[in-house]
Amino acid sequence: MNNYHLISNTGKIGSIYERVDKLFENLNFLKLKQTIKVFLDLEDEVLEKFSEKYSGILIYLLNMTDQKTSKELIHKLTKNSVLYLVEEEVRLLLLGTFKNSGVLEDIEKITQLFEELDFSKNQNFLIKRNYREIQDSLRFLYHQQAQKTTTLRFRYLLNLEEGELWKLMNVITEKKPIIIPILMIFALDEIRFQVLKFIFTEKKEFIHVLVSEMINLKFFSLIRNYINIEELSKEFSVEFSSKLKSLETAFMIEKTLGKHIEEIQSDSNLSVRQKRDKILNEVYLTIKNEEADTQEIIIADLLNKNILSINEVELLELILKEK
């Protein structure tokens, strides 16, 4: 047995931690690819211990290297290793908010979220069901985050395929569930969409602590087949419930608009450019008098279906804003 393994016959910890510390001491950040190759060649057990103790280093490497190398490294990590990274990033974000909290009540809200990270899986809010308290703390965190920018956005999670990301979220739910709603506050939109989809299809109990302000309506338009608008309306504020009803309006409009778009696309007398111009004009005429929330949903849907390009969406939004 190699000397860095756990010595099972004695029940004592071997020199695995010494190797992890030595590895840290010898890191050369001027040669990123060479450094990452060292990690790629490590045994899973050693890499997981390094992830636990020096998670900030791996976050740095994943964010600084090119996408191909970053993808290789995150796929090398075990789910527990990635959890260590995500938890470390959450702690850094909470710490930044804690430092800027001057009022005792605000400090208590952030402290509660820190405590949730430290609770065992038998003590967390999903067990205690203190949903309202957690929701209040998350609302404060959201509004604090909205006032500043951060480079900590869990970008490395984009390198996980949907199935792998969901496996990770299942591990997080089991061990550190408070991380799931915090991801809905800080993560990039692509990750937040997957988290929201995970919640509505796998772990609906998280709905109890979601803050309506943190959920962009475009996410709902993407997961319309998984949600029950009437059920959600009971969970959120009156203001947001009215926004949810915009979904129903948008879906009805899209059915009619969709037929008109199909007719334009199938017109053999029009060039590709003429079709795109005509579709853009049709969309504008259809939604120009609708509420802003309804417009947002329809535009997001058309973009996701590749009916409109990003440039066309930007032009459309500019025209609607000036109307």
Side-chain angles (χ1 to χ4, degrees):
M1 179 179 289
N2 295 326
N3 64 355
Y4 51 77
H5 282 270
L6 297 178
I7 305 175
S8 58
N9 58 340
T10 63
K12 297 179 180 179
I13 302 293
S15 59
I16 184 171
Y17 293 108
E18 294 175 12
R19 186 177 177 193
V20 163
D21 290 336
K22 192 70 176 176
L23 180 61
F24 171 73
E25 292 170 8
N26 293 332
L27 288 177
N28 184 350
F29 293 105
L30 296 178
K31 297 181 179 179
L32 281 182
K33 287 198 173 184
Q34 182 178 322
T35 299
I36 289 175
K37 188 177 186 309
V38 172
F39 288 110
L40 292 174
D41 292 338
L42 281 179
E43 298 85 348
D44 289 346
E45 184 181 25
V46 180
L47 184 53
E48 187 165 312
K49 293 299 178 186
F50 188 93
S51 303
E52 182 179 10
K53 188 169 185 179
Y54 298 111
S55 49
I57 299 297
L58 286 172
I59 291 173
Y60 172 81
L61 292 174
L62 286 165
N63 285 334
M64 291 303 295
T65 190
D66 61 90
Q67 185 177 3
K68 181 177 180 295
T69 309
S70 180
K71 195 168 187 176
E72 285 182 52
L73 181 55
I74 199 167
H75 279 90
K76 169 71 175 175
L77 300 175
T78 64
K79 292 295 175 291
N80 282 332
S81 294
V82 181
L83 172 56
Y84 292 140
L85 270 58
V86 174
E87 181 181 352
E88 173 69 9
E89 198 161 341
V90 166
R91 287 184 184 277
L92 289 172
L93 290 164
L94 290 180
L95 186 60
T97 306
F98 186 85
K99 289 179 178 178
N100 295 323
S101 303
V103 182
L104 178 60
E105 184 180 353
D106 295 341
I107 292 175
E108 289 175 348
K109 287 184 172 70
I110 299 302
T111 300
Q112 182 179 45
L113 298 178
F114 268 119
E115 289 174 348
E116 281 291 329
L117 283 173
D118 296 328
F119 283 150
S120 72
K121 63 182 182 181
N122 295 321
Q123 291 181 298
N124 63 65
F125 71 94
L126 293 180
I127 303 298
K128 295 186 292 183
R129 301 195 176 204
N130 56 330
Y131 299 134
R132 189 60 62 194
E133 292 176 23
I134 297 299
Q135 189 182 56
D136 287 343
S137 294
L138 289 169
R139 181 176 288 107
F140 169 75
L141 181 63
Y142 171 81
H143 287 296
Q144 286 293 104
Q145 179 273 336
Q147 298 172 22
K148 58 184 179 178
T149 57
T150 176
T151 55
L152 299 173
R153 302 291 299 276
F154 309 93
R155 187 176 300 277
Y156 45 86
L157 295 181
L158 291 174
N159 290 318
L160 294 176
E161 290 79 14
E162 181 178 296
E164 290 301 307
L165 182 57
W166 283 42
K167 287 178 184 177
L168 173 64
M169 287 192 283
N170 274 314
V171 173
I172 291 174
T173 300
E174 179 186 355
K175 297 185 176 182
K176 306 282 182 178
I178 193 61
I179 289 176
I180 296 293
I182 290 178
L183 284 175
M184 282 301 303
I185 296 176
F186 290 103
L188 296 168
D189 279 356
E190 297 92 328
I191 300 165
R192 292 169 62 209
F193 164 63
Q194 288 296 338
V195 173
L196 199 59
K197 186 176 176 183
F198 172 79
I199 290 173
F200 285 120
T201 57
E202 298 288 326
K203 301 293 178 182
K204 291 188 177 180
E205 55 264 47
F206 282 113
I207 294 175
H208 297 298
V209 299
L210 289 182
V211 180
S212 60
E213 295 95 321
M214 72 172 66
I215 307 172
N216 194 309
L217 277 171
K218 68 183 178 184
F219 295 142
F220 281 118
S221 71
L222 289 170
I223 59 171
R224 68 175 74 178
N225 295 328
Y226 306 106
I227 64 176
N228 182 310
I229 292 177
E230 184 177 343
E231 179 182 334
L232 289 180
S233 296
K234 297 175 183 177
E235 298 293 340
F236 294 118
S237 66
V238 174
E239 178 187 358
F240 196 70
S241 295
S242 66
K243 289 186 177 183
L244 287 173
K245 290 187 171 66
S246 298
L247 282 172
E248 296 177 296
T249 303
F251 299 160
M252 289 170 54
I253 292 172
E254 282 184 43
K255 285 183 180 179
T256 304
L257 180 59
K259 292 177 182 178
H260 292 162
I261 290 174
E262 286 178 8
E263 290 173 0
I264 296 171
Q265 290 174 329
S266 61
D267 190 341
S268 58
N269 295 319
L270 298 175
S271 66
V272 173
R273 182 68 265 170
Q274 287 174 322
K275 288 179 181 179
R276 298 202 70 87
D277 289 344
K278 197 167 183 178
I279 287 172
L280 186 61
N281 186 60
E282 184 69 29
V283 173
Y284 170 72
L285 292 175
T286 302
I287 69 174
K288 66 177 183 177
N289 295 321
E290 298 298 332
E291 296 291 331
D293 291 331
T294 303
Q295 291 177 351
E296 179 185 351
I297 294 166
I298 293 173
I299 291 173
D301 277 351
L302 295 176
L303 177 62
N304 292 323
K305 293 174 182 176
N306 295 316
I307 292 173
L308 294 180
S309 68
I310 293 177
N311 289 338
E312 288 169 335
V313 166
E314 290 176 349
L315 175 61
L316 186 58
E317 289 176 337
L318 180 62
I319 296 172
L320 289 170
K321 189 180 294 184
E322 294 178 349
K323 184 179 74 69

PDB file of all heavy atoms in Angstrom, residues 207-224:
ATOM      1  N   ILE A 207     -38.911  25.468  -2.880  1.00  0.00           N
ATOM      2  CA  ILE A 207     -39.785  26.577  -3.276  1.00  0.00           C
ATOM      3  C   ILE A 207     -40.152  27.435  -2.067  1.00  0.00           C
ATOM      4  O   ILE A 207     -40.314  28.646  -2.175  1.00  0.00           O
ATOM      5  CB  ILE A 207     -41.071  26.050  -3.953  1.00  0.00           C
ATOM      6  CG1 ILE A 207     -40.725  25.366  -5.284  1.00  0.00           C
ATOM      7  CG2 ILE A 207     -42.072  27.178  -4.192  1.00  0.00           C
ATOM      8  CD1 ILE A 207     -41.916  24.707  -5.961  1.00  0.00           C
ATOM      9  N   HIS A 208     -40.251  26.808  -0.884  1.00  0.00           N
ATOM     10  CA  HIS A 208     -40.661  27.516   0.329  1.00  0.00           C
ATOM     11  C   HIS A 208     -39.693  28.633   0.722  1.00  0.00           C
ATOM     12  O   HIS A 208     -40.087  29.565   1.437  1.00  0.00           O
ATOM     13  CB  HIS A 208     -40.785  26.536   1.498  1.00  0.00           C
ATOM     14  CG  HIS A 208     -41.845  25.495   1.304  1.00  0.00           C
ATOM     15  ND1 HIS A 208     -43.182  25.796   1.173  1.00  0.00           N
ATOM     16  CD2 HIS A 208     -41.759  24.140   1.197  1.00  0.00           C
ATOM     17  CE1 HIS A 208     -43.884  24.682   1.005  1.00  0.00           C
ATOM     18  NE2 HIS A 208     -43.038  23.677   1.007  1.00  0.00           N
ATOM     19  N   VAL A 209     -38.427  28.554   0.291  1.00  0.00           N
ATOM     20  CA  VAL A 209     -37.458  29.575   0.712  1.00  0.00           C
ATOM     21  C   VAL A 209     -36.997  30.467  -0.443  1.00  0.00           C
ATOM     22  O   VAL A 209     -36.227  31.407  -0.223  1.00  0.00           O
ATOM     23  CB  VAL A 209     -36.219  28.931   1.384  1.00  0.00           C
ATOM     24  CG1 VAL A 209     -36.626  28.153   2.618  1.00  0.00           C
ATOM     25  CG2 VAL A 209     -35.442  28.041   0.414  1.00  0.00           C
ATOM     26  N   LEU A 210     -37.446  30.185  -1.657  1.00  0.00           N
ATOM     27  CA  LEU A 210     -37.059  31.032  -2.779  1.00  0.00           C
ATOM     28  C   LEU A 210     -37.652  32.430  -2.613  1.00  0.00           C
ATOM     29  O   LEU A 210     -38.763  32.587  -2.130  1.00  0.00           O
ATOM     30  CB  LEU A 210     -37.537  30.440  -4.100  1.00  0.00           C
ATOM     31  CG  LEU A 210     -36.818  29.175  -4.597  1.00  0.00           C
ATOM     32  CD1 LEU A 210     -37.396  28.752  -5.942  1.00  0.00           C
ATOM     33  CD2 LEU A 210     -35.321  29.391  -4.709  1.00  0.00           C
ATOM     34  N   VAL A 211     -36.886  33.408  -3.008  1.00  0.00           N
ATOM     35  CA  VAL A 211     -37.331  34.796  -2.960  1.00  0.00           C
ATOM     36  C   VAL A 211     -37.739  35.197  -4.366  1.00  0.00           C
ATOM     37  O   VAL A 211     -36.976  35.001  -5.315  1.00  0.00           O
ATOM     38  CB  VAL A 211     -36.202  35.713  -2.455  1.00  0.00           C
ATOM     39  CG1 VAL A 211     -36.650  37.164  -2.411  1.00  0.00           C
ATOM     40  CG2 VAL A 211     -35.718  35.248  -1.085  1.00  0.00           C
ATOM     41  N   SER A 212     -38.944  35.737  -4.502  1.00  0.00           N
ATOM     42  CA  SER A 212     -39.478  36.014  -5.838  1.00  0.00           C
ATOM     43  C   SER A 212     -38.576  36.920  -6.656  1.00  0.00           C
ATOM     44  O   SER A 212     -38.431  36.744  -7.863  1.00  0.00           O
ATOM     45  CB  SER A 212     -40.870  36.637  -5.720  1.00  0.00           C
ATOM     46  OG  SER A 212     -40.827  37.852  -4.985  1.00  0.00           O
ATOM     47  N   GLU A 213     -37.912  37.883  -5.996  1.00  0.00           N
ATOM     48  CA  GLU A 213     -37.078  38.833  -6.732  1.00  0.00           C
ATOM     49  C   GLU A 213     -35.905  38.171  -7.431  1.00  0.00           C
ATOM     50  O   GLU A 213     -35.363  38.697  -8.405  1.00  0.00           O
ATOM     51  CB  GLU A 213     -36.536  39.925  -5.781  1.00  0.00           C
ATOM     52  CG  GLU A 213     -37.612  40.812  -5.177  1.00  0.00           C
ATOM     53  CD  GLU A 213     -38.048  40.324  -3.804  1.00  0.00           C
ATOM     54  OE1 GLU A 213     -38.148  39.086  -3.632  1.00  0.00           O
ATOM     55  OE2 GLU A 213     -38.297  41.157  -2.933  1.00  0.00           O
ATOM     56  N   MET A 214     -35.455  37.024  -6.922  1.00  0.00           N
ATOM     57  CA  MET A 214     -34.257  36.401  -7.484  1.00  0.00           C
ATOM     58  C   MET A 214     -34.541  35.597  -8.757  1.00  0.00           C
ATOM     59  O   MET A 214     -33.625  35.138  -9.426  1.00  0.00           O
ATOM     60  CB  MET A 214     -33.585  35.478  -6.446  1.00  0.00           C
ATOM     61  CG  MET A 214     -34.352  34.195  -6.177  1.00  0.00           C
ATOM     62  SD  MET A 214     -33.481  32.991  -5.128  1.00  0.00           S
ATOM     63  CE  MET A 214     -33.389  33.804  -3.559  1.00  0.00           C
ATOM     64  N   ILE A 215     -35.820  35.436  -9.094  1.00  0.00           N
ATOM     65  CA  ILE A 215     -36.179  34.563 -10.211  1.00  0.00           C
ATOM     66  C   ILE A 215     -36.626  35.389 -11.411  1.00  0.00           C
ATOM     67  O   ILE A 215     -37.702  35.981 -11.407  1.00  0.00           O
ATOM     68  CB  ILE A 215     -37.296  33.583  -9.810  1.00  0.00           C
ATOM     69  CG1 ILE A 215     -36.912  32.837  -8.534  1.00  0.00           C
ATOM     70  CG2 ILE A 215     -37.548  32.584 -10.940  1.00  0.00           C
ATOM     71  CD1 ILE A 215     -38.013  32.002  -7.957  1.00  0.00           C
ATOM     72  N   ASN A 216     -35.815  35.417 -12.425  1.00  0.00           N
ATOM     73  CA  ASN A 216     -36.161  36.116 -13.653  1.00  0.00           C
ATOM     74  C   ASN A 216     -37.268  35.339 -14.367  1.00  0.00           C
ATOM     75  O   ASN A 216     -37.223  34.112 -14.468  1.00  0.00           O
ATOM     76  CB  ASN A 216     -34.922  36.205 -14.558  1.00  0.00           C
ATOM     77  CG  ASN A 216     -35.110  37.191 -15.678  1.00  0.00           C
ATOM     78  OD1 ASN A 216     -36.101  37.150 -16.396  1.00  0.00           O
ATOM     79  ND2 ASN A 216     -34.153  38.082 -15.841  1.00  0.00           N
ATOM     80  N   LEU A 217     -38.261  36.059 -14.867  1.00  0.00           N
ATOM     81  CA  LEU A 217     -39.385  35.394 -15.523  1.00  0.00           C
ATOM     82  C   LEU A 217     -38.973  34.566 -16.737  1.00  0.00           C
ATOM     83  O   LEU A 217     -39.651  33.617 -17.106  1.00  0.00           O
ATOM     84  CB  LEU A 217     -40.436  36.429 -15.933  1.00  0.00           C
ATOM     85  CG  LEU A 217     -41.411  36.836 -14.832  1.00  0.00           C
ATOM     86  CD1 LEU A 217     -42.249  38.011 -15.292  1.00  0.00           C
ATOM     87  CD2 LEU A 217     -42.292  35.685 -14.414  1.00  0.00           C
ATOM     88  N   LYS A 218     -37.841  34.910 -17.349  1.00  0.00           N
ATOM     89  CA  LYS A 218     -37.412  34.142 -18.517  1.00  0.00           C
ATOM     90  C   LYS A 218     -37.103  32.696 -18.126  1.00  0.00           C
ATOM     91  O   LYS A 218     -37.221  31.794 -18.951  1.00  0.00           O
ATOM     92  CB  LYS A 218     -36.192  34.783 -19.168  1.00  0.00           C
ATOM     93  CG  LYS A 218     -34.921  34.738 -18.356  1.00  0.00           C
ATOM     94  CD  LYS A 218     -33.798  35.464 -19.081  1.00  0.00           C
ATOM     95  CE  LYS A 218     -32.522  35.477 -18.251  1.00  0.00           C
ATOM     96  NZ  LYS A 218     -31.455  36.250 -18.905  1.00  0.00           N
ATOM     97  N   PHE A 219     -36.718  32.460 -16.847  1.00  0.00           N
ATOM     98  CA  PHE A 219     -36.476  31.098 -16.413  1.00  0.00           C
ATOM     99  C   PHE A 219     -37.776  30.295 -16.417  1.00  0.00           C
ATOM    100  O   PHE A 219     -37.808  29.129 -16.799  1.00  0.00           O
ATOM    101  CB  PHE A 219     -35.874  31.080 -15.009  1.00  0.00           C
ATOM    102  CG  PHE A 219     -34.511  31.700 -14.918  1.00  0.00           C
ATOM    103  CD1 PHE A 219     -34.142  32.455 -13.828  1.00  0.00           C
ATOM    104  CD2 PHE A 219     -33.591  31.531 -15.942  1.00  0.00           C
ATOM    105  CE1 PHE A 219     -32.884  33.030 -13.751  1.00  0.00           C
ATOM    106  CE2 PHE A 219     -32.332  32.094 -15.874  1.00  0.00           C
ATOM    107  CZ  PHE A 219     -31.982  32.846 -14.770  1.00  0.00           C
ATOM    108  N   PHE A 220     -38.850  30.940 -15.969  1.00  0.00           N
ATOM    109  CA  PHE A 220     -40.133  30.254 -15.935  1.00  0.00           C
ATOM    110  C   PHE A 220     -40.609  29.902 -17.340  1.00  0.00           C
ATOM    111  O   PHE A 220     -41.235  28.869 -17.556  1.00  0.00           O
ATOM    112  CB  PHE A 220     -41.184  31.119 -15.235  1.00  0.00           C
ATOM    113  CG  PHE A 220     -41.080  31.096 -13.740  1.00  0.00           C
ATOM    114  CD1 PHE A 220     -40.809  32.245 -13.038  1.00  0.00           C
ATOM    115  CD2 PHE A 220     -41.239  29.918 -13.041  1.00  0.00           C
ATOM    116  CE1 PHE A 220     -40.703  32.235 -11.657  1.00  0.00           C
ATOM    117  CE2 PHE A 220     -41.139  29.883 -11.659  1.00  0.00           C
ATOM    118  CZ  PHE A 220     -40.871  31.040 -10.969  1.00  0.00           C
ATOM    119  N   SER A 221     -40.325  30.781 -18.293  1.00  0.00           N
ATOM    120  CA  SER A 221     -40.755  30.488 -19.657  1.00  0.00           C
ATOM    121  C   SER A 221     -40.033  29.272 -20.208  1.00  0.00           C
ATOM    122  O   SER A 221     -40.554  28.555 -21.054  1.00  0.00           O
ATOM    123  CB  SER A 221     -40.511  31.700 -20.561  1.00  0.00           C
ATOM    124  OG  SER A 221     -39.139  31.897 -20.807  1.00  0.00           O
ATOM    125  N   LEU A 222     -38.813  29.013 -19.699  1.00  0.00           N
ATOM    126  CA  LEU A 222     -38.043  27.860 -20.159  1.00  0.00           C
ATOM    127  C   LEU A 222     -38.500  26.555 -19.510  1.00  0.00           C
ATOM    128  O   LEU A 222     -38.308  25.483 -20.069  1.00  0.00           O
ATOM    129  CB  LEU A 222     -36.557  28.085 -19.855  1.00  0.00           C
ATOM    130  CG  LEU A 222     -35.844  29.151 -20.692  1.00  0.00           C
ATOM    131  CD1 LEU A 222     -34.464  29.444 -20.121  1.00  0.00           C
ATOM    132  CD2 LEU A 222     -35.731  28.716 -22.142  1.00  0.00           C
ATOM    133  N   ILE A 223     -39.092  26.656 -18.318  1.00  0.00           N
ATOM    134  CA  ILE A 223     -39.490  25.426 -17.621  1.00  0.00           C
ATOM    135  C   ILE A 223     -41.006  25.352 -17.447  1.00  0.00           C
ATOM    136  O   ILE A 223     -41.505  24.755 -16.506  1.00  0.00           O
ATOM    137  CB  ILE A 223     -38.800  25.322 -16.251  1.00  0.00           C
ATOM    138  CG1 ILE A 223     -39.139  26.528 -15.364  1.00  0.00           C
ATOM    139  CG2 ILE A 223     -37.299  25.190 -16.386  1.00  0.00           C
ATOM    140  CD1 ILE A 223     -38.673  26.368 -13.944  1.00  0.00           C
ATOM    141  N   ARG A 224     -41.724  25.947 -18.363  1.00  0.00           N
ATOM    142  CA  ARG A 224     -43.177  26.026 -18.246  1.00  0.00           C
ATOM    143  C   ARG A 224     -43.839  24.660 -18.070  1.00  0.00           C
ATOM    144  O   ARG A 224     -44.885  24.543 -17.444  1.00  0.00           O
ATOM    145  CB  ARG A 224     -43.758  26.715 -19.474  1.00  0.00           C
ATOM    146  CG  ARG A 224     -43.609  25.897 -20.753  1.00  0.00           C
ATOM    147  CD  ARG A 224     -44.304  26.546 -21.920  1.00  0.00           C
ATOM    148  NE  ARG A 224     -43.554  27.697 -22.381  1.00  0.00           N
ATOM    149  CZ  ARG A 224     -43.920  28.434 -23.427  1.00  0.00           C
ATOM    150  NH1 ARG A 224     -45.010  28.142 -24.096  1.00  0.00           N
ATOM    151  NH2 ARG A 224     -43.204  29.449 -23.814  1.00  0.00           N
TER     152      ARG A 224
END
